[in-house]
Amino acid sequence: MLQLDVVTLFPAMFEAVTEWGVTGRARERGLYQLVAWNPRDFAGNPYRTVDDRPYGGGPGMVLLPAPLHKALAAARQRQKSAGVRAPRVVYLSPQGRLLDHARVAEYAGGQGLVLLAGRYEGVDERVIEQCVDEEISIGDYVLSGGEVGAMVILDACVRLLPGVMGAASSGEEESFEAGLLEYPHYTRPVTWEGRTIPEVLRSGDHAKIAAWRHAKAVEDTRLRRPDLIERHGGASQAPPSGAQREDRASKK
Ligand code: 4FV
């Protein structure tokens, strides 16, 4: 079971992941556990204060180091008692390394993750120096809190856990694994608003369909994300053969 802990001023926000859809069902099936820790519970003052003004002046407030440190220590201790050898603390911030499929796959393949979600202007830098193993950003924009980023990591990780997506495992994961964007999808009706689906998809010829889908994936990736093609050393012209598909399936 993947052990997940999050340090956040808004634990209830995570119900969006733990109570709904694929990730909600995966939690019910015990495929992962998510425990939230609120720094206010570690504030140690009657006003449960967790932030203060920035030294050197400037706008906004900064999260105090001590409540975060205590909350992170509690989360790490819970992970250790749940059998996680080396709990990894990840702080969500715009200064972090950009999240990608490889990172998500690494997290999903691990034992446990402690996510630190900041608020206001961020956390005292000394917490990052002392308690954080890695900073991760979900994109070059500023959010009002790290919770949304933490949920992105949770959702993407849980989808990769064995048994979560099962047979319905969308090709999306596979696509990013292969460095390609996903091919286009169609469903009923055959013609909609005068637009008819590509004939090959009704041919029943699975090799032809696989070839068409791969060609579309390469074409779209070249057009929309040439960086992905570069990163994956060019797209192989041949669609993944049945054998490759099978052995990927067997890995699931
Ligand atoms: C963010 C991002 C992000 C910065 C200050 C929270 C906010 C506030 N996190 N990827 N982009 N965080 O904007 O992960 O505390």
Side-chain angles (χ1 to χ4, degrees), residues 92-94 118-122 136-139 141-146:
L92 282 299
S93 93
R119 277 275 155 177
Y120 314 119
E121 297 311 306
I136 288 282
S137 171
I138 61 166
Y141 36 77
V142 179
L143 303 167
S144 54

Side-chain angles (χ1 to χ4, degrees), residues 174-182 211 213-240 244:
E174 284 170 7
S175 58
F176 278 113
E177 240 147 55
L180 291 175
L181 297 179
E182 183 68 355
R213 284 175 167 172
H214 183 74
K216 285 299 287 180
V218 170
E219 179 193 324
D220 288 354
T221 308
R222 279 222 168 82
L223 278 173
R224 302 168 191 221
R225 294 290 308 279
D227 60 302
L228 281 179
I229 298 269
E230 294 331 302
R231 205 188 308 167
H232 289 268
S236 64
Q237 291 317 304
Q244 284 163 321

Side-chain angles (χ1 to χ4, degrees), residues 183-187 197-205 208-210 212-213:
Y183 49 77
H185 300 282
Y186 301 87
T187 186
I197 71 164
E199 195 49 42
V200 64
L201 297 179
R202 299 173 66 207
S203 68
D205 179 335
K208 250 208 206 129
I209 291 168
W212 179 86
R213 284 175 167 172

Side-chain angles (χ1 to χ4, degrees), residues 13-45:
M13 286 180 72
F14 289 83
E15 289 165 13
V17 172
T18 58
E19 306 310 314
W20 303 93
V22 166
T23 51
R25 283 192 297 282
R27 190 184 59 72
E28 280 154 15
R29 291 165 53 206
L31 297 173
Y32 74 93
Q33 185 174 16
L34 177 68
V35 177
W37 305 83
N38 189 333
R40 286 199 191 285
D41 300 333
F42 300 86
N45 62 73

